[in-house]
Amino acid sequence: MSENFDFDLIVVGAGSGGVRLARMSAQRGARVAIIESRYLGGTCVNVGCVPKKLFVYGSHVHEDIEDAAGYGWKVPKDGVSFDWPTLVANKNTEIERLNGIYQRLLENAGVTIIEGTATCRDAHTVVVGDQAFTAVNITIATGGWPVTPDLPGKECILSSNEMFYLPQLPRQAVVWGGGYIAVEFAGILAGLGVETTLIYRGDLFLRGFDDDVRQFTATELRKKGIDLKFGVTIESVHTDGAHYQVALSDGTSMTTGLVMAATGRRALVDGLGLEELGVQMNASGHIEVDDHFQTTVPSIYALGDVIGTPQLTPVALAQGMVLSRRLFGDGNGEMDYSCIPTAVFCQPSIGTVGLTETEARQSHGKLRIYRSEFKPMKHTMSGRDERSLMKLIVEDETDKVLGAHMVGPDAGEILQGIAVAMKAGATKADFDSTIGIHPTSAEEFVTMREPVAS
């Protein structure tokens, strides 16, 4: 720490990772400032994880209402209606509450909040408007931004950012993409009564997930009425009165009321002046850092989505903790990117941790594959045609569980606990000797006895 600088640390970007780094560093006695041009909490709180899951909850209510009839509740055929502006307004109120919490957390920790757009003048100076601020170290935590491919009619296409503030829902929608965001928004729209088509250029969406999970999810989403078009992509979009005409690569076209692209995100480094200072970017456009988040300019660090590590809020939070410890704690701390659990909040949802079957076969010897598919207990009386999938991948020689995957209600909640066990090195014998909680779906993970493949 040096009195020759205004701050010991300036953090550019008040998203999950930046806020965590700023707070923890200030609590360790550092003089910290954080600069934000949009909103406290970043993508996750404002146009990502939090509002997305609120929309998922809202879109699933209609199924709960329908399922109630099987449990003796009389549901009026024309007595239930949905109001999209109410959902958006209530979501906005909750996000504003969270923004306030983030502000108080930073202020209570002693962090100076600076509003505006930052540019790095040199290795120790950040300029915001007509003010310059100096720091021993600078950390870039500006996250990512949606990318829409260049094509005719690009201006007609919405990103996930705009979807959270739609003034009204269309009758039909096209979602373009095959990752988390595309699959989740397709489920949200379909659940709210929108005729939804998901278009993806690959043979099957959710690349990187276990193949059984991908195929099972596709089957379940089609049951929800979502039209999945694989092996095709959008070539152009143009307005047609109050609708849009979407031309596809297979020569067909379709009419829709909305087109949303979830086709990737790029590192948000525009205008920061990093390359002029010698901060190196990698081939994907992310900031290049070493294992300790240090860039090619020693006083400048970076973390979160802007460095291209798994684009998950808990990863950015963990990085913020590690970097704070290294800069202002005992100087130790390493990131471990193995066995990171994740969830996709489609309907039914996906939870997964560890290796896919394909990855395990490429990196390990003989395997044992355990797989169970069943109708959740709730739907034995609701009558809904929805099934769940659970899968364990076990290394035969060591009996270690290498991967756990689930498609079904509360998959994320269930897999969080499984992730702890796997991080601790659990074996299949450990799973087998664990008493299940009955009756739950989760107990299936400790009752699968016979492998279905090896």
Side-chain angles (χ1 to χ4, degrees), residues 57-308:
Y57 284 138
S59 67
H60 194 266
V61 169
H62 86 98
E63 288 194 357
D64 293 331
I65 293 172
E66 291 172 357
D67 293 345
Y71 287 88
W73 292 89
K74 295 186 182 300
V75 182
K77 291 183 179 180
D78 57 356
V80 177
S81 63
F82 169 70
D83 184 62
W84 168 254
T86 297
L87 175 58
V88 173
N90 289 343
K91 179 269 296 182
N92 291 343
T93 298
E94 173 60 11
I95 300 310
E96 289 170 5
R97 184 185 74 85
L98 294 175
N99 292 151
I101 289 175
Y102 269 72
Q103 181 172 343
R104 289 191 294 275
L105 287 172
L106 289 166
E107 291 174 344
N108 291 342
V111 176
T112 299
I113 302 173
I114 302 170
E115 297 182 11
T117 301
T119 301
C120 295
R121 174 185 291 172
D122 58 44
H124 296 281
T125 307
V126 178
V127 176
V128 180
D130 58 0
Q131 290 186 289
F133 304 93
T134 61
V136 179
N137 291 303
I138 299 167
T139 296
I140 308 300
T142 46
W145 201 252
V147 174
T148 302
D150 286 323
L151 49 72
K154 176 181 177 179
E155 68 279 2
C156 302
I157 301 174
L158 303 181
S159 74
S160 56
N161 287 357
E162 294 82 49
M163 293 296 292
F164 290 109
Y165 298 95
L166 279 180
Q168 61 186 18
L169 283 178
R171 290 183 60 185
Q172 305 93 16
V174 168
V175 178
W176 184 19
Y180 289 72
I181 298 171
V183 174
E184 290 169 338
F185 263 101
I188 290 168
L189 290 166
L192 295 176
V194 179
E195 296 175 20
T196 304
T197 300
L198 185 144
I199 293 172
Y200 178 55
R201 64 184 179 181
D203 295 334
L204 191 62
F205 57 14
L206 296 172
R207 184 166 55 90
F209 284 79
D210 187 84
D211 286 341
D212 280 345
V213 167
R214 300 167 73 196
Q215 293 163 2
F216 188 88
T217 301
T219 298
E220 293 300 311
L221 294 192
R222 286 189 169 110
K223 291 180 186 177
K224 307 286 185 182
I226 300 173
D227 183 11
L228 303 178
K229 292 184 181 293
F230 297 138
V232 65
T233 191
I234 294 177
E235 293 195 335
S236 68
V237 179
H238 70 267
T239 55
D240 182 12
H243 296 85
Y244 299 98
Q245 284 292 327
V246 181
L248 304 179
S249 58
D250 62 0
T252 64
S253 64
M254 56 189 304
T255 302
T256 187
L258 178 150
V259 183
M260 172 197 163
T263 47
R265 297 175 68 86
R266 63 179 177 84
L268 191 55
V269 295
D270 304 346
L272 287 172
L274 297 175
E275 291 185 277
E276 292 83 349
L277 298 182
V279 174
Q280 186 173 338
M281 306 290 174
N282 60 27
S284 63
H286 294 94
I287 299 175
E288 191 75 50
V289 297
D290 63 15
D291 291 341
H292 301 148
F293 308 106
Q294 193 171 41
T295 72
T296 46
V297 175
S299 61
I300 299 179
Y301 295 77
L303 56 75
D305 290 359
V306 80
I307 65 173

Side-chain angles (χ1 to χ4, degrees), residues 429-447:
D430 293 323
F431 276 65
D432 293 343
S433 64
T434 300
I435 304 298
I437 301 173
H438 185 73
T440 66
S441 291
E443 69 177 319
E444 194 73 13
F445 273 118
V446 299
T447 58

Side-chain angles (χ1 to χ4, degrees), residues 43-62:
T43 294
C44 177
V45 168
N46 295 276
V47 288
C49 325
V50 173
K52 176 269 304 290
K53 195 166 185 186
L54 293 175
F55 278 8
V56 169
Y57 284 138
S59 67
H60 194 266
V61 169
H62 86 98

